[in-house]
Structures are given as structure tokens and as C-alpha cells.
Amino acid sequence: EIRRTLNGRMNQGNAIILFNLGTTYLEAGEEDLTIQLFKEALQVELGNDSSPQELIKLLELLGLIYQRRGELGDALSCLSQAQAVAKNAVLPLVSGRLLNMMGNIHLRRANTPEMMRCFTEASRIFRTIPIHDGVLAISGYGFYCLSKCHPECASAA
């Protein structure tokens, strides 16, 4: 609060403090407060034209918290925003990793077309990166069901 008073609400140094407070509260199991602090830090970062990496980090962490809470729509929204930032910043490995994460959420939601779109795009990106092994991390309890519910997609998956 002192720093906000002295430097203004949108001072970039505030984002670091908000992020650190948020991670502390996350470790203490206070996810609601963590989300609130991370969202406030995100607003500060957006207002200061911060680096793509900082925006991606906040959005990805928010997405992971939402995913852990079972709030998959909010998780996808955050990860999708992070992926757009990574794509615009030409960070292909990060973009592919985020698409992979989104594909797994779509798998969990049994949204086969979006799952396949995310996994396909991530795979294409991974193949363009010489240092990457090109392997997707596909996980979720719904994977077996994919072959039963959507046999046309099972071979592509």
C-alpha cells in the first residue's frame, strides 16, 4: 500500500510485489486471494507494456490455478491469451507448450475438435524447433474414451 501511494497504482514495481504476494498465498492454499493478486499484477503489467514473458507467466499461472480448481473455461481463457502473446512475440516453444496444455484441457472436456486443433498445431510448431523432440504430452482420464466416443479421431490422436 505504501508503494502504491508513493509511486502510483500502475507502477511496474507493484506487479512484482503483487506476484510475490500471490505466490505466497498460493503456497498457503489461498487460491482466491492468489487469483485476485495475479489479476491485479496482470493489469499493472498490461498498463506498462511489459515483456511478453511476464504476461505469459501470469496468464499461465492463472490458467493452472483455474485448471486445478476445475474451472476449465477460465483456464482455457487464460492459456489462450498467453498463447496469443507467445505467438505474437514469436516464442514458438512457449506457444506450442501452451497449445499442448490447452489440448489436454479440451481432452478433459471431451471437446474433440478443439483438442485435435490444439494438439495438431502444437505438433506442427514442435517439428519446426530443432532442439525440441517434437513429442506432445497428452494426459487425461478421457483419452481412452476418445477411441470409444470418437473412433474417427483416435488414429489421428
Side-chain angles (χ1 to χ4, degrees), residues 5 11 25 37-38 72 131 141:
T5 303
N11 181 280
Y25 281 112
L37 291 165
F38 280 2
L72 301 181
I131 60 169
Y141 59 85

Side-chain angles (χ1 to χ4, degrees), residues 22 35 40 53 64 109:
I35 290 169
E40 193 173 341
Q53 290 84 354
L64 290 171
R109 296 178 90 186

